[in-house]
Amino acid sequence: MSSSPAPELFTWEFATDPYPAYAWLREHAPVHRTALPSGVEAWLVTRYGDARQALADARLSKNPVHHAEPAHAKGKTGIPGERKAELMTHLLNIDPPDHTRLRRLVSKAFTPRRVAEFAPRVQQLTDQLIDGFAAKGEADLIHDFAFPLPIYAICDLLGVPPEDQDDFRDWAGMMIRHSGGPRGGVARAVKKIRAYLAELIHRKRENPGDDLISDLIRSSDHGEHLTENEAAAMAFIILFAGFETTVNLIGNGVLALLRDPGQRERLQDSLHAGEGELLATGIEELLRYDGPVEIATWRFATEPLTLGGQPIATGDPVLVVLAAANRDPERFADADVLDLGRRDNQHLGYGHGIHYCLGAPLARLEGQSALATLLTRLPDVRLAEDPADLRWRGGLIMRGLRTLPVRFTPTSG
């Protein structure tokens, strides 16, 4: 028996810094059954080796129909509102062969070539957003910067016309404020986005462009058999999975750098010298150290299996704790230390296996652009309040700040 008591999970204190609790679980209960805030019971997987195995295990299905809970509990395992809005047929909820077919269609939008072509637009958006607050000497880097950057980028990628993008930004804001507002607000935002996407798909069918929704329509019109619901669900999940993760990557990454002056100075010196290597390894380290996705999306056992020595029953939900696996000292030397130059960094920040995040190249591009431009243009940026007073958004899957107030010397350009 352990001498130290099991930590309390899912409290506000835990949300602020979950890593000590995860260290305890890795050591004492690496595959741990617990009741979640929703009341659903699930297995938490916290060691790197077990996590990597679980993420690639075909016996762990993404489809909620395999959940053994009674029907009334099934709605507690997904995105609020997605069931009613017919948005369930997306990549986070399906298995092969449908997953293979839909992923193949969407992957065309995230090839290295397409992402590289998008780089000037991301840089332009980054500079425009910093222009909006640079002269003020203070900003909330979540509201003013980390949140709008990926929203506008994904709107451009999907083909949302400029005049509709602020509506999209409002709806997206309702979706990620789910911890602070009524659950119904999220469902309403999801419904509005779903209705808008259905209408946009109609418009793009009449007048296609060089964008992802037009590509999805072209694929379905050329025998790929993408239903309209699948197209809308696909666009929705690219928005949902693609923007909140990047908001958190930028927010968590900036906070980590502001709390570690040595690493921040190391990166600024490298940028000043015109080098790109430390920025590239640094983004990977920030994804490992305090990444945007704390827990991978739901999986359900389709047959009895053993994970980390623990028997898992058919229908049991399994949650792979990426944040815990990424700090596993068995896999990463000095796992709790931020080292922007870290090599051999096979973190699980974007998952592993067939559900590895499709949008990872775009998120990396946005993260690198955001950090490099911010640290170059506002070199003395600093926290405007004690890190202990920062509030983190509640919620099971994502890890991100509600606000990130900073100060800096005002600049006009």
Side-chain angles (χ1 to χ4, degrees), residues 19 245 248-260 263-264 267 278-293 322-323 326-327 335 337-342 345 347-350 363-364 367-368 370-372 375 392 399:
Y19 295 102
T245 50
N248 296 348
L249 168 59
I250 296 169
N252 299 6
V254 170
L255 176 62
L257 290 172
L258 296 187
R259 296 185 71 179
D260 192 325
Q263 291 296 308
R264 173 239 183 96
L267 180 55
L278 192 65
L279 180 62
T281 58
I283 283 290
E284 300 310 310
E285 175 67 347
L286 292 167
L287 282 161
R288 182 200 71 81
Y289 179 76
D290 197 9
V293 183
L322 304 179
N326 282 337
R327 296 268 193 119
V337 173
L338 181 68
D339 175 9
L340 297 182
R342 186 183 293 270
N345 193 353
H347 65 77
L348 301 176
Y350 283 127
R364 286 187 172 99
Q368 288 186 20
L371 288 177
L375 291 175
W392 295 79
R399 173 162 172 77

Side-chain angles (χ1 to χ4, degrees), residues 36-85:
L36 304 172
S38 64
V40 174
E41 290 210 349
W43 294 96
L44 300 181
V45 180
T46 52
R47 285 182 182 166
Y48 182 91
D50 297 336
R52 195 175 162 93
Q53 177 196 328
L55 291 171
D57 195 324
R59 297 169 298 176
L60 291 173
S61 167
K62 300 288 290 172
N63 194 328
V65 301
H66 294 293
H67 189 188
E69 286 280 321
H72 70 83
K74 286 186 188 287
K76 295 178 179 176
T77 61
I79 300 162
E82 68 176 355
R83 288 170 182 276
K84 291 181 184 152

Side-chain angles (χ1 to χ4, degrees), residues 79 87 90-92 106 110 147-160 164-165 167-176 186 189-197 200 212-213 216 231-247 357 359 362 366 398:
I79 300 162
L87 290 168
H90 59 62
L91 287 171
L92 297 185
V106 150
F110 296 106
F147 175 73
L149 175 60
I151 278 290
Y152 291 136
I154 284 173
C155 281
D156 283 356
L157 193 75
L158 291 175
V160 176
D164 295 344
Q165 293 190 2
D167 285 342
F168 234 74
R169 178 179 171 167
D170 290 345
W171 298 331
M174 288 169 69
M175 281 168 58
I176 69 166
V186 188
V190 169
K191 200 171 174 182
K192 284 179 177 173
I193 291 173
R194 169 69 178 87
Y196 176 82
L197 289 172
L200 187 61
L212 180 53
I213 287 182
L216 291 174
M234 188 68 73
F236 171 79
I237 205 57
I238 288 165
L239 167 75
F240 187 85
F243 92 89
E244 192 171 358
T245 50
T246 308
V247 177
C357 175
L362 179 60
E366 292 170 347
M398 301 289 187

